[in-house]
Structure formats: structure tokens, C-alpha cells
Amino acid sequence: LRSWKQSADRESTLFESREREQFLLGGYFSLAVLITLVSIANALAFRDRNFAVYAVYVAALAVGQLAYLGVGAQHVWDQWLRWNELATFVLPGVSAAAGVWFTQTVTEPARFSRALDLAVWALIAALLSSVALDAVMATRASFLLQISLTSLALVVIVALVAVAWAHDE
């Protein structure tokens, strides 16, 4: 009897934990959808490119999180087996490229240097190319390339914000 009660308690605790997890994930992804839709509405209403690019970035980030957490494979694209295999590796690179694009759009590095602007576009192209390469022929080297470029993207984002901030003072 004691063993049955302990088992029922563990099952109840697990159920409550999963219920709380699903609630939080639902809130997170609902907020991401709301932000994306509001950004699209603002982009259309104000004809503002920054809002449009931000909508792409938030959507890419949310879809990347769907893949990384396994929620996409479980609930959204459960019938697409090949996409399930690729999504976890493809979407973080796409999100990083979208993040660099958004930062490039907001900070406008071309104001400071045409070479800097071209370097940022080259990084975006390199990120997307590494994602495509890793999708076609997933090797340790292609994965390391994608991770290295994603790390570089984070450094570039911080640098672009710092440059824009320094020039605006």
C-alpha cells in the first residue's frame, strides 16, 4: 500500500510539473506571437523597416526555441520528420543571422563606415551559408563553423551597439 501511495505521489508531482511547464511555454510562445504581430502591425502602419526586421527576428527566435525545446517537434511540425532532424541545428543559425540583421538595421553601421556595413552583411551571408552547409552535409567541422560564426555574431552585435552609442553621444 505504501509503495502504491508513493508511486501515486510521484505521478501527481510529475503531472503538476509538466502542467506548469506547459503553461509557461504557452505564455512564452504566446508572447512571442503577440510581439511579432504587433511589430508587423507597426511596420505596416508606420512604414517602419525596423519593426519589420524586428518581427522577423522575434519570429526566428521563437521558432528556434520551438525546435530547441522540442515543442515544435511535439506539437507544431510533428508530421515533418526531416524538418525535425534539421530544425535544432538550422534555426539557431537563422536566429543569429536575424539578430545581426536587426542590429544592423537599427544601428545603421553604414553611417560610420561602408566597410563595417559590408562586413556585417558578409557575416549574415556567412551565417546563412554555414547553416545551409550544415543542413546539407552535417559534419563536426560544419557544426563548429556555425557555432564560431554565431559566437562572432554576438560579438558583432555588442560592437555595433557600442559604436552606435558612442557616436550618438
Side-chain angles (χ1 to χ4, degrees):
L1 182 62
R2 180 183 292 183
S3 173
W4 179 83
K5 180 162 175 34
Q6 288 174 340
S7 177
D9 287 345
R10 278 183 274 172
E11 192 173 306
S12 175
T13 303
L14 178 63
F15 180 75
E16 287 173 14
S17 173
R18 292 232 172 114
E19 207 171 53
R20 186 173 35 256
E21 177 184 289
Q22 293 297 318
F23 175 76
L24 292 173
L25 288 173
Y28 174 82
F29 291 113
S30 297
L31 186 59
V33 169
L34 178 65
I35 291 169
T36 301
L37 292 175
V38 169
S39 295
I40 291 169
N42 281 329
L44 295 172
F46 299 114
R47 295 186 178 149
D48 189 340
R49 182 173 176 242
N50 293 340
F51 277 115
V53 175
Y54 184 64
V56 170
Y57 170 60
V58 172
L61 194 61
V63 173
Q65 287 298 307
L66 279 172
Y68 184 73
L69 295 172
V71 175
Q74 186 178 10
H75 298 293
V76 181
W77 51 75
D78 55 336
Q79 300 299 316
W80 303 344
L81 296 178
R82 179 68 178 134
W83 177 244
N84 283 333
E85 294 172 8
L86 290 174
T88 305
F89 301 103
V90 167
L91 292 172
V94 171
S95 298
V100 174
W101 183 33
F102 171 65
T103 306
Q104 185 270 345
T105 302
V106 172
T107 61
E108 298 175 337
R111 293 184 299 160
F112 317 116
S113 165
R114 181 75 179 137
L116 178 60
D117 190 51
L118 289 174
V120 172
W121 282 114
L123 176 59
I124 293 169
L127 267 165
L128 294 175
S129 297
S130 74
V131 166
L133 176 69
D134 196 47
V136 171
M137 51 179 265
T139 64
R140 182 173 174 84
S142 66
F143 180 71
L144 287 174
L145 175 65
Q146 187 175 345
I147 293 297
S148 299
L149 288 171
T150 300
S151 299
L152 178 62
L154 294 172
V155 171
V156 167
I157 287 170
V158 170
L160 287 173
V161 170
V163 166
W165 185 38
H167 279 278
D168 286 342
E169 283 190 2

